[in-house]
Amino acid sequence: MRGNGRWQIAIDGPAGAGKSTVAKEVAKRLGILYLDTGAMYRTIAYKALQEGVPIGDEAAVSALAEDIRIEFSADERVWCDGLDVTEGLRTPEVSKGVSVVAAYPAVRRRLVELQRAEARRGGVVMDGRDIGTHVLPHADLKIFLTADPLERARRRWLELQRSGKNLTLEEVAQDMAERDRRDTQREMAPLEEAKDAILLDTTGLSVETIIERVIAMVREEYR
Ligand code: DC
């Protein structure tokens, strides 16, 4: 068995499938790094909004991504150019803009470079949309998480409620459907299940059950 310092686990899927909650906990139990690539795309959208750069201005957003510094601290905070931006990444404005900036090739090239650099540092669980297909095509284990669209919207809505954001379930479902459409249809590295991924439908499953199933797959892979 290889030491966990070389493990590469890719978790992809649409919004609200449970990727980050599951990936974070799995990484913790395995004692390896967790990298939330969605947060990196969100940081680009957040910075553009902060600086008054129009989300639709591809050249300006790409330039902004070129020299951005994104860091994750052990306490799960996200830092952009030295500032803690964690609270700003889940606002409806960022959620709306992020799938637009994530379709820009220069933004993707830059972030994929940073993601691969993180994976070279040691064992990693990485979650996103294109990890198994593009970022880590040789990952040992690729999992594609899905769930019924209504359940995915409900999970995201509950998350937003808990953080004090009062959107209706219909608004969340609509935004999510729009984001999934853009993520699936974009030209570069769209959301897609890798041919060698294991599909896990999380509809009706508790978070703990999903984590246990993923851990069982990991044990099987590295036995
Ligand atoms: O997982 P999330 O909701 O935080 O992701 C935010 C957006 O970033 C999502 O709309 C798609 C994009 N994304 C991507 O294109 N590729 C990734 N590897 C991760 C996220």
Side-chain angles (χ1 to χ4, degrees):
M1 187 179 104
R2 268 193 292 150
N4 67 359
R6 304 276 308 278
W7 291 4
Q8 286 192 347
I9 299 164
I11 303 187
D12 290 299
K19 297 185 303 292
S20 38
T21 314
V22 169
K24 193 183 298 176
E25 185 57 28
V26 166
K28 198 160 142 194
R29 293 189 195 179
L30 299 176
I32 59 180
L33 180 76
Y34 162 58
L35 191 69
D36 178 353
T37 66
M40 299 173 82
Y41 288 94
R42 285 174 182 273
T43 303
I44 306 281
Y46 174 82
K47 188 174 172 187
L49 290 167
Q50 283 291 308
E51 298 195 350
V53 171
I55 290 289
D57 185 339
E58 180 170 356
V61 173
S62 302
L64 169 155
E66 208 41 58
D67 53 13
I68 200 169
R69 200 154 45 87
I70 305 175
E71 288 151 315
F72 294 86
S73 48
D75 55 358
E76 293 172 7
R77 315 292 300 175
V78 186
W79 303 76
C80 174
D81 300 328
L83 289 177
D84 182 348
V85 296
T86 318
E87 304 305 331
L89 300 185
R90 307 261 151 210
T91 62
E93 295 74 30
V94 169
S95 295
K96 259 202 166 70
V98 64
S99 56
V100 177
V101 308
Y104 297 153
V107 169
R108 299 203 72 81
R109 270 196 297 275
R110 168 82 178 127
L111 293 188
V112 168
E113 188 182 289
L114 298 177
Q115 290 155 13
R116 289 184 178 148
E118 286 295 325
R120 280 193 293 272
R121 290 176 36 198
V124 70
V125 179
M126 212 181 273
D127 83 331
R129 305 292 189 288
D130 61 339
I131 310 304
T133 51
H134 185 68
V135 181
L136 302 176
H138 304 297
D140 310 301
L141 178 63
K142 300 179 184 179
I143 300 171
F144 196 86
L145 289 187
T146 59
D148 175 81
L150 190 61
E151 179 156 336
R152 295 196 283 112
R154 206 188 307 274
R155 287 178 190 167
R156 206 27 84 79
W157 176 74
L158 274 172
E159 223 172 74
L160 288 166
Q161 291 277 307
R162 269 186 232 116
S163 58
K165 303 198 176 71
N166 281 319
L167 275 81
T168 65
L169 178 60
E170 287 70 29
E171 284 169 321
V172 176
Q174 245 173 36
D175 285 355
M176 199 176 247
E178 175 59 19
R179 205 140 65 85
D180 283 347
R181 191 190 57 75
R182 277 207 211 102
D183 292 340
T184 315
Q185 293 181 359
R186 71 168 172 247
E187 211 149 296
M188 192 175 179
L191 166 65
E192 190 181 20
E193 188 184 344
K195 287 190 180 60
D196 49 351
I198 302 173
L199 179 70
L200 178 54
D201 186 342
T202 68
T203 309
L205 299 183
S206 70
V207 171
E208 186 53 33
T209 305
I210 310 169
I211 293 168
E212 281 166 12
R213 294 218 183 147
V214 171
I215 294 277
M217 292 176 200
V218 173
R219 292 207 195 298
E220 179 64 25
E221 175 64 35
Y222 297 106
R223 147 169 86 95

